[in-house]
Amino acid sequence: MKKRHYLLLLLWLFTLTGLQAQSILRFSLHTPQLPDSTDLAYYSHNHPVRAAATIIGLNLGVWSFDRFVRKADFAYINSHTIRENLKHGFVWDNDGMGTNMFMHPYHGNLYFNAARSNGFNFWQSSLFAFGGSAMWELFMENEFPSTNDILATPIGGTALGEVSYRMSDLILDDRQTGSRRFGLEAAAFLVSPMRGLTRLISGDARRKRPTSGKQFGIPDISMELSVGVRALELKDELLDRGFGLVTEFNMEYGDRYDADGTQPYDYFHVKGNLNFQKAQPILGQVNIVGRLAGTELVDNKRNYLSMGLYQHFDYYDSDTISDVSAKIPYKFCTPASLGVGFYYKRKSAGKWSFSGFTHLNAVLLGGALSDYYKVSDRNYNLGSGYSTKNGLCLLYKKDVFALSTSYEAYHFFTWKDYPDNIDWDTVDPRTLNAQGDKSSAILHAASLRLDFKLRQGLYLTSYFKTYTRRTHYKHYDDVHSTTGEGRLMLTWEL
């Protein structure tokens, strides 16, 4: 990820991901409340012209910065470049994983929230995200439109967008005035810039109302923050770059054991890791799982079981940890993934409680580290496939001790490669239309986490994880890679 993205990333993560994915020791922050009917009526009016104008203005503003300030080559456009883009069609591009698989979805989140904050629902806003992405790909660059961007930007953008929109909804309060109102509006702007901008344009940012304006009321929410040390090991390479600091943010929104919600993302969980470690990317991990629809299969005195349709966004990144080797531990992502999920809980009045989940997903777009494909900023193969996620949790006396384990598996297929006789010295990265090396990659991520209560709201957390990759190449030798990670952290329930 380029340095110019770091400030934006840090601002967004520290304001948004005081968040979580699958909180183990869960404590609700507020008593849940339904939204006020007055607020639902007030903010439910659609403003299509304003939504479209905001998206067009956003694209023109970003393009102007790229063209006149950065003077980036791709921003020099005219009628000829637009005709060429329309005539040639889409190709697989060669930007880095941070750009393609996080920053593009983040940009899609801006398109999505330009519509969401103008009265449109989740599904309608996703269409606006697709339209904004298509406008950029076809008209705003002199490079051929990108196949992976037209998938990652709107689909990944809906996941990031709905999470940020609902988080900003928790912050805003139309009843407040003065400095407190300014602080709330500023915080909401950082979490969801397009919502903040829309409120400034409409005047809602300064308009006092008798109700809070929260469109989702106050849902059941839990948050946790973990800070500690991290060690990363790859095939006995544990040198000066293998140690560092890590901060993990977790949040769970809604009740995973209540599938009666009628709107997408009435339940979701989020996880974000920031690394402060030599040569490692600051953004190490982002996971989002949002329930789009669900139903309860079993709900009695002993057991609970639900089934739902879930959207997934996964991002795992690392860089070499050795001064003598260029090997990278792991790198994989799924910005566009969807599947069925089950959540189970064993109800018990005893000292021990048990819960678990499982997901089976179709991956429309994924990426995994390549051992051979290194073109421009890209060192990973693109593809599609399927994945599964599974987890178990055992709690003692609700919060005294917790043991949890998770297992994720991804199988990606890269089918569109480059010609066998390619001359890499003459390759133009802007026109090379390849997903990467023709291959199939199987990735595993297995973890074990232990939480011990030190005092109320404070826990000692130990965390162990392994990343395993086995890639079968059509034209190269197969590669097997295993990485180990350990963390020792203090965890605060916020």
Side-chain angles (χ1 to χ4, degrees), residues 155-343:
I155 299 177
T158 61
L160 296 175
E162 186 66 9
V163 167
S164 62
Y165 188 79
R166 286 180 178 254
M167 288 305 300
S168 67
D169 198 69
L170 292 172
I171 297 170
L172 293 168
D173 189 342
D174 290 351
R175 298 168 298 186
Q176 301 298 322
T177 59
S179 59
R180 177 168 175 77
R181 178 65 177 268
F182 177 82
L184 293 176
E185 294 290 337
F189 189 98
L190 289 176
V191 172
S192 180
M194 289 299 100
R195 188 175 193 180
L197 178 62
T198 299
R199 288 176 65 84
L200 288 172
I201 295 173
S202 66
D204 288 330
R206 58 184 177 275
R207 184 176 295 116
K208 183 181 179 182
R209 300 177 56 252
T211 53
S212 67
K214 297 184 185 301
Q215 298 175 44
F216 307 100
I218 301 178
D220 192 9
I221 303 171
S222 66
M223 297 185 187
E224 64 184 36
L225 166 66
S226 300
V227 178
V229 294
R230 176 189 191 225
L232 198 61
E233 180 268 343
L234 170 63
K235 292 184 178 179
D236 299 324
E237 293 182 3
L238 184 60
L239 304 179
D240 62 329
R241 298 184 184 184
F243 293 96
L245 300 178
V246 63
T247 301
E248 180 174 299
F249 303 92
N250 290 319
M251 172 192 164
E252 193 165 9
Y253 178 107
D255 189 350
R256 74 182 86 158
Y257 303 118
D258 182 3
D260 290 333
T262 59
Q263 300 182 62
Y265 280 71
D266 274 351
Y267 170 74
F268 65 82
H269 50 89
V270 184
K271 181 176 184 177
N273 286 346
L274 297 181
N275 300 316
F276 302 93
Q277 187 172 353
K278 186 177 180 181
Q280 292 301 304
I282 292 179
L283 180 63
Q285 180 178 341
V286 177
N287 304 100
I288 296 175
V289 179
R291 186 169 62 209
L292 301 177
T295 184
E296 294 176 346
L297 302 178
V298 177
D299 189 6
N300 55 39
K301 293 182 179 180
R302 291 180 176 268
N303 301 288
Y304 174 89
L305 177 65
S306 68
M307 179 179 70
L309 181 67
Y310 292 83
Q311 181 181 13
H312 295 253
F313 180 98
D314 301 291
Y315 181 91
Y316 294 89
D317 198 12
S318 73
D319 208 337
T320 177
I321 60 174
S322 172
D323 287 329
V324 297
S325 169
K327 294 178 181 177
I328 296 174
Y330 58 85
K331 190 183 291 283
F332 59 99
C333 52
T334 64
S337 181
L338 180 75
V340 62
F342 298 86
Y343 282 80

Side-chain angles (χ1 to χ4, degrees), residues 6-305:
Y6 285 167
L7 180 58
L8 173 63
L9 170 65
L10 287 171
L11 284 173
W12 191 74
L13 284 175
F14 275 112
T15 52
L16 173 59
T17 40
L19 328 182
Q20 159 9 107
Q22 203 68 24
S23 294
I24 298 169
L25 301 164
R26 175 165 182 154
F27 298 91
S28 297
L29 295 178
H30 303 282
T31 302
Q33 298 178 15
L34 294 174
D36 191 291
S37 58
T38 304
D39 292 329
L40 292 177
Y42 183 80
Y43 284 110
S44 63
H45 298 292
N46 294 345
H47 301 279
V49 174
R50 191 166 66 195
T54 302
I55 292 173
I56 294 171
L58 172 64
N59 277 341
L60 290 175
V62 173
W63 170 80
S64 297
F65 177 81
D66 289 334
R67 168 63 177 83
F68 299 107
V69 179
R70 292 182 57 211
K71 299 187 183 301
D73 292 339
F74 66 81
Y76 286 77
I77 59 174
N78 52 43
S79 60
H80 174 74
T81 63
I82 294 174
R83 285 196 301 269
E84 285 296 305
N85 286 348
L86 294 172
K87 179 180 178 180
H88 187 279
F90 287 81
V91 300
W92 301 94
D93 75 33
N94 289 289
D95 289 335
M97 196 176 86
T99 299
N100 270 344
M101 303 305 197
F102 183 80
M103 294 309 300
H104 278 292
Y106 179 82
H107 208 78
N109 133 77
L110 301 180
Y111 298 141
F112 177 90
N113 275 325
R116 199 74 170 97
S117 57
N118 275 291
F120 291 93
N121 64 28
F122 175 87
W123 300 108
Q124 294 165 338
S125 298
S126 66
L127 296 178
F128 277 88
F130 178 83
S133 179
M135 174 188 171
W136 181 270
E137 295 298 325
L138 293 170
F139 305 115
M140 310 306 294
E141 294 182 329
N142 61 26
E143 299 176 353
F144 295 140
S146 169
T147 304
N148 44 279
D149 288 349
I150 202 64
L151 296 174
T153 302
I155 299 177
T158 61
L160 296 175
E162 186 66 9
V163 167
S164 62
Y165 188 79
R166 286 180 178 254
M167 288 305 300
S168 67
D169 198 69
L170 292 172
I171 297 170
L172 293 168
D173 189 342
D174 290 351
R175 298 168 298 186
Q176 301 298 322
T177 59
S179 59
R180 177 168 175 77
R181 178 65 177 268
F182 177 82
L184 293 176
E185 294 290 337
F189 189 98
L190 289 176
V191 172
S192 180
M194 289 299 100
R195 188 175 193 180
L197 178 62
T198 299
R199 288 176 65 84
L200 288 172
I201 295 173
S202 66
D204 288 330
R206 58 184 177 275
R207 184 176 295 116
K208 183 181 179 182
R209 300 177 56 252
T211 53
S212 67
K214 297 184 185 301
Q215 298 175 44
F216 307 100
I218 301 178
D220 192 9
I221 303 171
S222 66
M223 297 185 187
E224 64 184 36
L225 166 66
S226 300
V227 178
V229 294
R230 176 189 191 225
L232 198 61
E233 180 268 343
L234 170 63
K235 292 184 178 179
D236 299 324
E237 293 182 3
L238 184 60
L239 304 179
D240 62 329
R241 298 184 184 184
F243 293 96
L245 300 178
V246 63
T247 301
E248 180 174 299
F249 303 92
N250 290 319
M251 172 192 164
E252 193 165 9
Y253 178 107
D255 189 350
R256 74 182 86 158
Y257 303 118
D258 182 3
D260 290 333
T262 59
Q263 300 182 62
Y265 280 71
D266 274 351
Y267 170 74
F268 65 82
H269 50 89
V270 184
K271 181 176 184 177
N273 286 346
L274 297 181
N275 300 316
F276 302 93
Q277 187 172 353
K278 186 177 180 181
Q280 292 301 304
I282 292 179
L283 180 63
Q285 180 178 341
V286 177
N287 304 100
I288 296 175
V289 179
R291 186 169 62 209
L292 301 177
T295 184
E296 294 176 346
L297 302 178
V298 177
D299 189 6
N300 55 39
K301 293 182 179 180
R302 291 180 176 268
N303 301 288
Y304 174 89
L305 177 65

